[in-house]
Amino acid sequence: MKAALIGCGAIASRWVRSLLADGRIEIAALADPDQQAARALADRYELTPAFATTLDEALALAQVDVVVNLTPPDHHYRVSREALAHGLHVLTEKPLALNLPDALDLVHLARERGLLLAVMQNRGADPGFLAFRDTVRLGGRPPFAVAADALVTLPGPGFRRSQHLPVTTDLAVHAFDQVRTLITAPPTEVTCTETPTGFLASHSSIATITVRFADGSLFTYRGGYIFDSLLRTDANGNWWVEARGFAARWASNPADRHKTTEAEPPAYQRRITAMVDALHQPGIVPVPAAGNLGSIALLDAALQSAASRRSVPVPEVPDVRS
Ligand SMILES: NC(=O)c1ccc[n+]([C@@H]2O[C@H](COP(=O)([O-])OP(=O)(O)OC[C@H]3O[C@@H](n4cnc5c(N)ncnc54)[C@H](O)[C@@H]3O)[C@@H](O)[C@H]2O)c1
């Protein structure tokens, strides 16, 4: 199969490395309005793709089966929709879309057209975090009080410098994937604020998010892009869970971060391999992104809450299995 990669910024290297390691997908086109970024990516990995500035241009230059959407979050819906409307499978970086109606529209369109739609959820699928989830499920009984801090330093801010509410749209969505594995009751209400903290770094911003759940559980999150400091965490964050007679905490071990082997590749690479497996699955094409709609419902409510400065009910995710 052949792919067009749309967006050639920081995360594109990770995807190219993973797709090259997998070997089943040929990178036939690279599209980015920043042609220097596209050409630098091709040079780094000795690729010989067609170069384009937009998805449309890429599709005119190369025949592809799948679009890999690596654009900034506020472009995700439009790029993924255009690709699906062209009859192409879509693998996209998170978030699937910025609101639930757009995400549902993509899921419905993929279903209708019999196309794969898969979204990256590497933090919610981190093996260390899943082991922590198992500890919580075995040892604790809901309701839970869960807290997480993700204070992240970036080598370069990229799109985040101009993205509205960058922490909520880009970073908190990892935490939404993660907390949904810990607390399985439906979320009911979100309160979110995000405040630029330009005195730390030009793109710095800090968000606080509180989520209430139907079983009484509570999640409090503090996420931020910060100047490099002792407080920094990785994007997995540091987590605490308390329940009656139970407490547990988790932080990914920095020593393990780069300790990946061929037998145990990093979570994002395993997610990409699973997506490529699904592309090659005969019969009904799955829409794994449907399983991520719960995170987009939380994101939708968080963005509305930040804009309105009040608590917002979490929109109900309709049953999209049939
Ligand atoms: N899963 C993870 O752990 C993880 C980590 C980092 C980033 N991401 C996600 O990856 C995506 C990209 O992030 P990044 O860090 O690479 O950002 P970046 O700013 O470094 O790169 C984005 C690139 O997209 C290009 N672009 C913008 N609009 C475009 C369009 N319409 N068509 C084609 N290209 C366009 C920009 O010119 C830029 O080169 C974001 O959605 C982000 O949330 C995920």
Side-chain angles (χ1 to χ4, degrees):
M1 280 191 178
K2 292 187 180 185
L5 264 59
I6 314 300
C8 301
I11 205 65
S13 289
R14 186 189 279 186
W15 278 81
V16 169
R17 277 199 308 278
S18 301
L19 290 174
L20 291 177
D22 181 276
R24 288 174 287 174
I25 303 277
E26 180 191 332
I27 299 169
L30 292 179
D32 197 307
D34 179 351
Q35 281 291 285
Q36 243 182 337
R39 287 183 189 274
L41 184 67
D43 288 349
R44 196 173 320 136
Y45 295 101
E46 300 179 352
L47 306 174
T48 52
F51 290 101
T53 54
T54 63
L55 169 61
D56 256 1
E57 210 178 294
L59 300 185
L61 292 172
Q63 269 219 318
V64 302
D65 312 280
V66 51
V67 161
V68 181
N69 186 354
L70 310 179
T71 59
D74 52 356
H75 295 256
H76 284 185
Y77 171 66
R78 191 185 54 73
V79 169
S80 293
R81 196 176 204 294
E82 202 177 318
L84 292 168
H86 274 98
L88 302 170
H89 302 292
V90 171
L91 315 183
T92 178
E93 261 301 340
K94 51 82 188 164
L96 180 58
L98 293 182
N99 61 62
L100 187 60
D102 284 356
L104 277 166
D105 180 49
L106 294 177
V107 167
H108 288 311
L109 185 57
R111 280 260 160 77
E112 257 167 52
R113 305 289 299 259
L115 297 166
L116 180 79
L117 174 64
V119 60
M120 176 56 74
Q121 301 167 60
N122 46 326
R123 305 293 172 182
D126 182 275
F129 191 83
L130 291 179
F132 173 61
R133 174 210 54 188
D134 292 344
T135 305
V136 171
R137 282 196 185 167
L138 277 173
R141 281 253 207 103
F144 294 116
V146 179
D149 271 350
L151 298 168
V152 173
T153 306
L154 295 169
F159 71 86
R160 295 163 194 87
R161 216 194 302 259
S162 53
Q163 173 83 46
H164 183 50
L165 304 174
V167 174
T168 308
T169 49
D170 182 50
L171 190 60
V173 75
H174 286 308
F176 297 153
D177 288 344
Q178 290 167 300
V179 77
R180 288 174 56 234
T181 74
L182 294 174
I183 304 172
T184 52
T188 54
E189 185 186 83
V190 174
T191 313
C192 171
T193 65
E194 180 167 345
T195 311
T197 40
F199 54 89
L200 293 177
S202 64
H203 62 287
S204 179
S205 182
I206 293 188
T208 61
I209 302 176
T210 304
V211 185
R212 291 175 176 278
F213 292 81
D215 66 352
S217 293
L218 184 73
F219 175 47
T220 56
Y221 171 82
R222 180 175 61 154
Y225 290 122
I226 59 164
F227 184 68
D228 199 0
S229 80
L230 284 176
L231 284 182
R232 66 179 283 190
T233 72
D234 72 1
N236 276 320
N238 295 346
W239 288 72
W240 296 259
V241 175
E242 278 204 62
R244 234 169 222 280
F246 173 84
R249 70 176 172 185
W250 180 78
S252 63
N253 180 354
D256 289 343
R257 234 171 267 163
H258 303 291
K259 203 180 76 186
T260 52
T261 62
E262 213 169 300
E264 214 176 312
Y268 69 83
Q269 190 172 328
R270 266 177 281 156
R271 299 296 299 181
I272 292 171
T273 303
M275 291 181 193
V276 180
D277 287 346
L279 273 176
H280 291 84
Q281 190 174 299
I284 297 169
V285 183
V287 182
N292 195 239
L293 291 170
S295 293
I296 303 304
L298 288 171
L299 175 60
D300 189 331
L303 291 173
Q304 286 188 49
S305 169
S308 65
R309 296 179 168 268
R310 37 170 28 129
S311 302
V312 167
V314 180
E316 199 175 320
V317 178
D319 187 352
V320 290
R321 277 169 300 180
S322 54

